[in-house]
Amino acid sequence: MREQHVLPETPFASLTRYPPGARLLFCLPYAGGDVSAFWAWRQAFDGVFDVRVAMLPGREGQVAEPGALSPESIARSIAAHHRTPYSIYGHSMGGRVAFEVVRELRRLGVPAPECLYVGAAHPPEHQETLGRWTGLGDEDLIEELIHRLGAPAELRTQPEVKALLVPALRTDMEWLRRYRFARQEPLDIPIVAFAGAHDGEVAHPTMLGWARHTTSTFRLHTLDAAHLFLATHGDQVARTIAAGPQQSLAADEVHVWLANLEELPEMCAAVDELSPREAARAARFRQEDHRRWFVGRSVLLRRLLREYGIEPGVGELRTRPGGKPCTGTQPTYSLSQSGGLVLVALATGREVGADLERLRPPADEQAFFEKVLDERERDEFAALPEELRLHSALRTWTAKEAVLKATGDGLRVDPALFGFAGQRPGTTWVPETAPEVARLAEWRVTHLPLGRAIAAIAVRAPRFLLRFETVRQGRLVRPGVEAAG
């Protein structure tokens, strides 16, 4: 019988001093990175976390054998040396490796980590750019790192650094080239993602795709940083990890919450948390699912407002003339619902608008497009292949709805008076307006790809930092009731 070659366990370097029983944080660096990628965490986590960084193959100028980078090997090492509680962090390529490590730990029957943290990492079903660079020469590879990933320009003039970096990069790039995502059951642990607002490689809305890989909570934090933010904002990432979920709303942030009411039966049954008018309206629904969704949406909003220190009481929620909701304090919010999906966006010191649409054709598709699209948008729509039309039209519609919700105009402005013709998916959209609604040109729209739905957030310039979180059962509970788990 042929003997199977088993790679040795991956060693980990301890980075901090820590008290007995400190929580473990296993770290996986970006492609080409080593222990020094996490230098900022030596002080940030000193005395709090036992931080251990994987010493991946191909470092120290040595060329590793093909297949030397192995999530299975890393998982075996963690299985042999972990204690609970522990978590795992992976940055860029390390995020994808960490994801596979957690899946391998599950296969081995090892107790799961408390949390998987991923930074600046494409969701695993996306192709990583580095995997396509294997044919580049060393100098061209360095140039791509500088221009695409924000590596320091000094790499060009530091041959001793290149001599250490390139072998590690080659090892990691080969693993990325060979990697194929295999569909399995989602993880059942929280995933917390970190993104750089100025990351030219992994745009922060792209990282929302990680939410589909867990049945537990998902949270995204966006930093005012580029791809390699461990070097520039490592202490901020460390503070966020140490603090856990907190609802402090900074002036440059928009917090967005997504809830699937079908997964929140307790919330959809909490009729006693409604105002008298809301309870009466709920009783008038003829369809049971519509009644449950209305109750769940109303209760969700009230509980979220309490999370941010706003006590809505049991009376009616406040609105401005025209129906735009208001809190009477600094935070502003916007809510959108499509079927059982609810999106709530909150900001402070600025107005915000949010819209959410499930990916389903409208009842009268042609009438819908004629009503909401301007002439240029209709021409663009007609030129698209049929399979792309629904996505395109809903992106445009959610962008318009988000702007009109942010301004409080609602149905008072004809959506055909402003448009987004010629604007590409994945970019910030800026309205082109008719003269009578020229004021709308100051708004900026960011789309959030949510798998089975499309959402859009509108704020006035300048851009904002996105904080996104999914609501799971037990995350927002009835006042006075402790969350389970």
Side-chain angles (χ1 to χ4, degrees), residues 5-27:
H5 175 63
V6 178
L7 291 167
E9 290 180 9
T10 300
F12 282 81
S14 187
L15 201 60
T16 56
R17 296 170 299 177
Y18 52 89
R23 292 163 62 193
L24 268 167
L25 182 61
F26 293 102
C27 298

Side-chain angles (χ1 to χ4, degrees), residues 28 88-103 115-128 175-176 179 181-196 199 201-221 227 229 258 448-451 466 468-470 472:
L28 300 168
I88 300 177
Y89 178 96
H91 195 89
S92 193
M93 177 206 72
R96 181 162 303 197
V97 177
F99 172 73
E100 291 297 339
V101 167
V102 175
R103 298 214 290 187
C115 187
L116 170 61
Y117 298 98
V118 292
H122 284 290
E125 67 273 18
H126 289 224
Q127 185 178 18
E128 283 282 8
W175 183 81
L176 286 170
Y179 177 83
F181 171 67
R183 296 196 178 277
Q184 299 178 12
E185 287 296 311
L187 304 178
D188 58 359
I189 62 171
I191 296 179
V192 176
F194 295 89
D199 188 340
E201 184 60 28
V202 187
H204 59 278
T206 301
M207 293 197 66
L208 296 177
W210 281 99
R212 297 193 288 274
H213 294 283
T214 179
T215 58
S216 183
T217 55
F218 169 80
R219 192 165 77 249
L220 170 68
H221 295 267
H227 186 77
F229 53 74
L258 177 68
L448 308 180
L450 301 176
L466 174 68
F468 179 96
E469 186 163 347
T470 55
R472 301 298 191 198

Side-chain angles (χ1 to χ4, degrees), residues 167-368:
L169 268 174
R170 296 289 182 197
T171 299
D172 298 347
M173 288 164 57
E174 181 62 21
W175 183 81
L176 286 170
R177 187 184 70 82
R178 293 168 177 260
Y179 177 83
R180 297 294 181 271
F181 171 67
R183 296 196 178 277
Q184 299 178 12
E185 287 296 311
L187 304 178
D188 58 359
I189 62 171
I191 296 179
V192 176
F194 295 89
H198 312 297
D199 188 340
E201 184 60 28
V202 187
H204 59 278
T206 301
M207 293 197 66
L208 296 177
W210 281 99
R212 297 193 288 274
H213 294 283
T214 179
T215 58
S216 183
T217 55
F218 169 80
R219 192 165 77 249
L220 170 68
H221 295 267
T222 306
L223 312 172
D224 188 15
H227 186 77
L228 298 176
F229 53 74
L230 281 180
T232 58
H233 293 68
D235 56 342
Q236 185 177 344
V237 177
R239 287 196 302 270
T240 302
I241 290 174
Q246 294 185 337
Q247 306 326 329
S248 56
L249 185 58
D252 59 352
E253 290 183 322
V254 172
H255 289 196
V256 178
W257 296 75
L258 177 68
N260 182 352
L261 297 178
E262 295 296 343
E263 299 173 352
L264 302 168
E266 178 272 330
M267 200 173 286
C268 293
V271 181
D272 57 330
E273 295 185 44
L274 302 179
S275 72
R277 185 179 298 176
E278 288 168 337
R281 183 179 172 189
R284 291 196 294 270
F285 282 97
R286 295 183 178 180
Q287 296 186 32
E288 176 60 20
D289 54 352
H290 291 177
R291 187 194 69 80
R292 289 188 299 103
W293 292 344
F294 175 78
V295 173
R297 179 189 77 178
S298 304
V299 172
L300 169 70
L301 178 58
R302 289 174 178 274
R303 293 184 184 180
L304 273 177
L305 291 177
R306 289 189 182 97
E307 286 273 311
Y308 289 86
I310 303 164
E311 179 48 62
V314 294
E316 304 306 316
L317 296 177
R318 300 176 60 175
T319 59
R320 300 176 192 168
K324 181 174 173 60
C326 71
T327 61
T329 59
Q330 267 292 320
T332 63
Y333 72 90
S334 182
L335 180 147
S336 183
Q337 180 176 1
S338 183
L341 296 179
V342 179
L343 192 81
V344 181
L346 301 103
T348 186
R350 66 165 84 192
E351 297 294 341
V352 62
D355 191 57
L356 169 75
E357 298 292 340
R358 287 185 298 170
L359 290 170
R360 56 177 183 175
D364 188 341
E365 192 172 274
Q366 192 58 38
F368 171 77

